[in-house]
Amino acid sequence: MVHRRNLALVMAGVLSLSLIMSACSKSASNKDNRGTAGPAEGNVNASGFPIVKEPIKLTFFASKSASNLGNWNEALVWQEYKKMTNIDVDFQLVPVEALAEKRNLAFASGTSPDAFHTARLSSVDLANYGDQGLLIPLGGLIDKYAPNLKQIMSKYPEVKKSLTMPDGKIYSFPTLQDPEFLSGIIGSQMWINKKFLDKLGMKEPETTEDLYNYLVAVKTKDPNGNGKADEVPFAAVGLTLIYDQLKGAWGLGNRGNMHPRVDVDPASNKLRFIPADPRNKEVLQFLNRLYKEGLFYKDAVTVNGNEVNAIYPQGIVGASIGLNPNATIAGVSGYVGVGALKGPHGDQIFSRARSFMILPGGFAISKSNKYPEATVRWIDYFYSDEGNKLFRLGVKDVSYVEKDGKVEWAEPLKKDQSQIGKYVTWAGGWYPSMDRQKYVLASENDPENLKVSEKIKPFYPKEVWPEFTYSNTEAAEFKALETDILKYVDEMSTKFITGDAPFSQWDTYVATLKKMGLDRYMSIYEAAYKRYQAN
């Protein structure tokens, strides 16, 4: 249960490759004032289009999710951008399920592509590969050739803080959301069946106890009126989303969910390991009550998203956490978003909050790139308003139209949105750009999503941490500790929720975490946190 959404993912595969390549000499490109004029730079226009006077070709490593159905090398957005820039990009697409393995092999091969696009490079990856000279530092290049990212970093200092690695250098362009577009940052929400609420004569849940009472009523009072006990109180995929949604009702997760197991203890103002906190025991006890009373759909530990989506049209789902079912599942309507719930001690935090700085490593340039100046100009465009519009929508009057100052898909795409991937390639996320709300034609912009985001806003943490950075030395020890500690946390959390472990074992569980090196783990975390504050 309760898997880390970022750190575990981002550190995967780093250590073995680091050991293999630690002897690599650092290239001359490891100077952060890169950008001294040379033949390649002489081909670059300082501003405007085309980016280069004479055409060039680049190869980009890129990940492709199952939700992205198009061939990037044929997609309209990239054909159009090729005409604009004089730069022909060959996207070497890798299925997202093989991403970590293929990415590591690309770095280890010695023949890496010119850049890594949507490769989900974590701060640990960036520090590791940057230190080895496999990625070039971008500070000087950003100053000279990236006015759009530079402007964003000036307006939002936390972006530069998160991009700056322990060696003081920047190796990447980030994945960003407009900080004002809260619905886009949050993504998935909690949804309640308004038809069921009305039939049961209940109001929208405001507390965790309200939620429990509603779920019990859905299970026992036949709100769909068919005379069968076929209602599903809580259709959830895994326990992680539920846990992360609810822990804020016990005051946990007060720095957001980019660091889902660490926040700040308000009593001591020191970092807190959430899974060992007494309040966490209460969260697990609440989830255990829901589990043992059969309020989840099937076994929430193993059920998958396709199973859950398939039951919505039957009109039996009472509550869920995920994308807006009204906007994403055909024939479904009547669900309303629920804000942050208040807990038994009066706490009310939206603990599943994300930073608008979604990922530091949306794009990075390899040492083998012969055209770094042109490459920086190529990617920086997508941090501008017009660049984000091209990336999200494609070409006017081909893939989208404008009416009364608003954009919408062209008629063929409105009828069949499965064809969107032929025109644009943002499906699957993690791309290097800064999304603007006005160009997002997706469920995050649905009126109900915007409404629930307004409910959440007062309870959004005042400070939401992005990823922290770890040096290679720290990462090696940190990863070893984290693997063991969080595996044990996940196993025991699941056992507590399902009843396979009694809560009388709680003290033993906490003591075991201590024996596993929790104090040392948190001291490394503290060092990373202080470095983030100081950047």
Side-chain angles (χ1 to χ4, degrees):
M1 186 250 160
V2 189
H3 299 292
R4 300 138 300 161
R5 293 176 52 190
N6 287 288
L7 279 175
L9 175 83
V10 298
M11 291 183 175
V14 168
L15 297 180
S16 59
L17 186 59
S18 177
L19 292 173
I20 292 171
M21 307 187 72
S22 61
C24 291
S25 62
K26 308 220 177 26
S27 81
S29 68
N30 219 21
K31 296 178 181 178
D32 206 30
N33 61 353
R34 178 140 183 171
T36 303
E41 187 179 10
N43 188 37
V44 179
N45 290 314
S47 61
F49 291 110
I51 290 175
V52 290
K53 301 162 190 171
E54 297 297 326
I56 63 172
K57 186 165 185 175
L58 299 171
T59 58
F60 288 0
F61 177 104
S63 69
K64 187 175 187 295
S65 73
S67 61
N68 196 319
L69 302 179
N71 181 336
W72 290 23
N73 290 312
E74 298 175 359
L76 176 68
V77 60
W78 301 126
Q79 292 301 312
E80 180 70 13
Y81 199 46
K82 176 182 174 181
K83 295 175 190 174
M84 293 168 60
T85 61
N86 241 355
I87 298 174
D88 182 9
V89 172
D90 175 18
F91 288 98
Q92 301 175 344
L93 299 173
V94 173
V96 70
E97 57 269 18
L99 174 61
E101 176 188 1
K102 297 294 185 182
R103 187 183 60 208
N104 289 346
L105 288 173
F107 278 111
S109 68
T111 56
S112 59
D114 292 308
F116 291 82
H117 185 290
T118 58
R120 305 193 190 188
L121 291 164
S122 71
S123 58
V124 175
D125 295 324
L126 296 168
N128 178 39
Y129 297 133
D131 184 65
Q132 295 175 30
L134 300 177
L135 297 175
I136 66 169
L138 302 175
L141 289 166
I142 290 171
D143 283 341
K144 193 170 183 180
Y145 295 103
N148 297 304
L149 179 62
K150 189 174 179 181
Q151 182 180 40
I152 290 170
M153 291 194 299
S154 176
K155 185 174 182 180
Y156 305 107
E158 57 265 52
V159 174
K160 186 172 183 179
K161 288 170 67 174
S162 186
L163 290 178
T164 303
M165 295 298 110
D167 63 2
K169 297 172 184 173
I170 293 174
Y171 295 99
S172 64
F173 282 72
T175 299
L176 301 173
Q177 286 276 6
D178 184 339
E180 301 301 316
F181 185 22
L182 191 59
S183 175
I185 296 170
I186 295 170
S188 297
Q189 305 273 22
M190 179 182 281
W191 304 98
I192 293 286
N193 191 324
K194 182 67 164 56
K195 297 172 186 175
F196 283 9
L197 284 173
D198 293 344
K199 184 69 179 292
L200 295 166
M202 303 179 78
K203 63 178 183 178
E204 181 184 313
E206 296 179 354
T207 69
T208 52
E209 201 61 24
D210 288 345
L211 176 65
Y212 168 76
N213 291 331
Y214 166 73
L215 297 176
V216 171
V218 171
K219 181 179 176 66
T220 61
K221 295 185 178 180
D222 189 30
N224 69 1
N226 66 357
K228 302 176 183 177
D230 58 351
E231 289 85 356
V232 174
F234 207 150
V237 179
L239 294 170
T240 302
L241 270 178
I242 305 170
Y243 171 86
D244 286 330
Q245 178 84 22
L246 296 179
K247 69 188 179 190
W250 278 265
L252 304 173
N254 55 39
R255 293 301 186 275
N257 211 42
M258 300 290 274
H259 297 261
R261 305 299 160 250
V262 175
D263 68 355
V264 173
D265 185 342
S268 64
N269 205 34
K270 295 181 179 179
L271 295 191
R272 168 174 62 183
F273 187 64
I274 292 171
D277 192 85
R279 289 284 184 93
N280 189 57
K281 179 180 178 181
E282 296 183 32
V283 181
L284 298 179
Q285 286 173 326
F286 180 79
L287 292 173
N288 170 255
R289 178 161 59 141
L290 303 187
Y291 190 92
K292 71 181 181 182
E293 294 187 25
L295 301 179
F296 294 132
Y297 176 53
K298 293 186 176 180
D299 185 346
V301 178
T302 59
V303 70
N304 65 55
N306 289 334
E307 290 179 87
V308 169
N309 289 342
I311 66 173
Y312 272 104
Q314 299 173 36
I316 60 176
V317 175
S320 66
I321 302 176
L323 295 178
N324 182 348
N326 306 317
T328 59
I329 304 176
V332 174
S333 63
Y335 285 85
V336 295
V338 177
L341 298 175
K342 183 180 291 187
H345 307 291
D347 300 288
Q348 194 169 9
I349 298 171
F350 184 72
S351 48
R352 208 165 41 76
R354 294 195 304 169
S355 168
F356 76 93
M357 175 80 176
I358 306 297
L359 183 75
F363 185 89
I365 301 176
S366 76
K367 69 172 184 179
S368 61
N369 189 312
K370 297 178 181 178
Y371 310 102
E373 299 85 5
T375 306
V376 166
R377 280 213 59 207
W378 187 97
I379 194 60
D380 182 63
Y381 180 63
F382 297 105
Y383 294 87
S384 70
D385 185 271
E386 64 272 19
N388 184 239
K389 186 177 186 179
L390 172 68
F391 181 73
R392 291 289 315 192
L393 300 174
V395 178
K396 184 180 178 181
D397 296 328
V398 179
S399 51
Y400 77 95
V401 295
E402 292 192 41
K403 293 182 179 179
D404 302 321
K406 294 185 178 181
V407 296
E408 59 182 49
W409 293 122
E411 202 60 36
L413 293 184
K414 287 173 73 174
K415 293 179 179 178
D416 184 6
Q417 294 202 5
S418 68
Q419 300 301 306
I420 288 175
K422 294 181 180 179
Y423 299 88
V424 290
T425 61
W426 47 259
W430 307 102
Y431 43 80
S433 185
M434 182 170 177
D435 274 346
R436 274 75 168 174
Q437 179 177 351
K438 57 188 174 181
Y439 303 137
V440 176
L441 302 181
S443 62
E444 292 90 342
N445 237 336
D446 184 86
E448 192 58 44
N449 280 73
L450 301 178
K451 190 183 298 182
V452 68
S453 296
E454 287 301 309
K455 296 178 188 176
I456 286 170
K457 187 179 290 186
F459 308 106
Y460 214 76
K462 290 182 175 59
E463 180 183 2
V464 179
W465 290 332
E467 282 188 24
F468 296 158
T469 62
Y470 299 84
S471 68
N472 286 344
T473 302
E474 288 173 333
E477 184 179 6
F478 187 86
K479 174 61 178 175
L481 288 167
E482 183 177 71
T483 298
D484 291 341
I485 288 173
L486 293 189
K487 180 182 178 182
Y488 179 66
V489 166
D490 289 350
E491 290 173 352
M492 289 303 298
S493 296
T494 300
K495 288 180 178 180
F496 283 132
I497 292 170
T498 60
D500 290 338
F503 284 96
S504 59
Q505 292 183 11
W506 181 262
D507 290 344
T508 301
Y509 155 74
V510 174
T512 301
L513 288 171
K514 291 280 190 180
K515 291 177 183 178
M516 295 176 75
L518 179 60
D519 289 343
R520 176 55 183 158
Y521 174 78
M522 291 302 293
S523 71
I524 300 174
Y525 226 118
E526 179 75 29
Y529 175 49
K530 288 181 177 178
R531 182 162 48 243
Y532 166 74
Q533 290 179 304
N535 273 347

